[in-house]
Every structure is written in structure tokens, then in C-alpha cells.
Amino acid sequence: MAQTTRTDPLRNFKFTVRFTPLDDTLKTLTSGIGDLGFAQMGGLSVQNELIAYREGGMNTHPHKMMGQSDFPPISFARGAFATQDQLYQWQKFMHSWIDGGKGGFAGGASGDASNYRCNIVVKVYDHPFTAQGVQYQYDNQTTTPVNPGNVKLAFKIFNCWPGAYGLSDLNAGDNGIMIQQLNIHHEGFAVAWGNDVADIDSLN
């Protein structure tokens, strides 16, 4: 049986994603959004602005200093299931929020919701994890996640909202699956390494 060692890098395919709405109305409309599984996540990075300036008497090169930091959008992808419309409901909520809640939000909620954002926690697990009886998905009958292994790395992404939502193309000559794509704008992230992963949910 293959065994990992402490010199092995983490694998990139064993992870969970949890969305936590920051508004009760959004939480109700997207019920179950915290328990969705995702096939892909990409784009987690930070870009630091460069400000160049000249100084009299030093003509060979400009000085460089740091400006603002910016966080590019993060992409998520998952299969499209007929009974799981939470990501679409989030986009629908966004559209209604921008329009001032005219006509009410999806599901008949009132138009007084104040926050369209979510925090997102991503946890990366060790591999292999060989305990007997382990399940790797959420139990659809409960909101309690089963144990997929030991968390080795975690990200918390702050104040997220949909920048783009889409569904994959249809093709009668293909035999693929439909994919939902979600691009997320956000205001930064924190990374918990090693023993600090237990505190990821409390970071702000």
C-alpha cells in the first residue's frame, strides 16, 4: 500500500468548499449552498500594484514602491443537478438586489435584505485516507458533513459575490455532462497552514 510522507506535496483533488451567506434572506433563498460539492476551483491569488517614481539626482532608474493589493476573481465549477439551484438563486438574488428588490426576491422573500455576499472556506485534505467506512460527499439527508480525512491546508475567502454565472453548452452529438460555472469577486483571503487549519472558520 502506498504511503505518503511528510516530504510529499499536498494533492490538488481532495477538497471541500463551503459557502456561508452573510445575510439571513440570502441564506434562506440559497438553502443548502454550504453543502455543495465542486469539481474545480481556480484563480486564488493576490496582485500588488507597482508605483514607480523618479528622484532628482538619480537618473539611472526609478524607485519602486507598493500600491494597493487587488484580488482577481476566483472560478468554481460543478455539475448541474436538477434539484440543486443554489448558485443560480444567488445570481438571481444579485440581479434583484441591484434592481432595488423590485418584484421581490426569488422565492417570495421581501426586498429588505442588506447583504448579497458570502464567505467561502475551502479545505484541502491529505491523501490517502484509509479509515474504513469513510464517505467523501455530504449526506443529502443531513447538513452534517462526513469525515473525508485530515485537513492540511485551508483558505477563507472574504466578502464574495458572483461576477459571472453560466451553464455549459448543449450538444446532441456529445455525451458529456452539464457544468455550472461561477466566477467570484472577493475582498481578500487568508490561508491556514498545518496546525492552524482548525482556526480557519474564525478568521476575519
Side-chain angles (χ1 to χ4, degrees), residues 20-174:
T20 302
L22 301 180
D23 181 90
D24 287 340
T25 300
L26 179 60
K27 183 176 181 179
T28 299
L29 296 176
T30 60
S31 177
I33 196 172
D35 300 322
L36 299 177
F38 287 84
Q40 294 179 344
M41 169 189 166
L44 186 71
S45 65
V46 57
Q47 298 177 352
N48 300 315
E49 181 186 14
L50 168 68
I51 299 176
Y53 68 96
R54 296 179 179 274
E55 182 179 355
M58 181 176 290
N59 301 319
T60 58
H61 64 275
H63 293 289
K64 298 178 181 180
M65 61 182 292
M66 180 179 172
Q68 289 185 313
S69 298
D70 194 16
F71 303 93
I74 299 174
S75 63
F76 291 90
R78 71 182 309 269
F81 296 85
T83 58
Q84 297 179 355
D85 64 347
Q86 292 90 342
L87 300 184
Y88 173 71
Q89 290 295 343
W90 192 9
Q91 164 57 34
K92 195 173 180 180
F93 177 87
M94 283 287 302
H95 184 77
S96 185
W97 193 94
I98 293 171
D99 195 34
K102 295 178 181 178
F105 297 113
S110 63
D112 59 357
S114 61
N115 200 335
Y116 48 80
R117 297 174 174 88
C118 288
N119 286 337
I120 302 174
V121 171
V122 180
K123 295 181 179 180
V124 182
Y125 296 83
D126 57 358
H127 181 78
F129 185 73
T130 56
Q132 294 183 359
V134 170
Q135 297 173 275
Y136 295 98
Q137 299 294 332
Y138 287 90
D139 182 348
N140 290 331
Q141 305 304 315
T142 178
T143 58
T144 303
V146 293
N147 180 20
N150 301 309
V151 182
K152 294 298 183 180
L153 188 68
F155 318 118
K156 187 169 185 180
I157 310 164
F158 303 102
N159 296 329
C160 307
W161 51 275
Y165 172 83
L167 291 163
S168 59
D169 296 340
L170 301 177
N171 185 344
D174 198 357

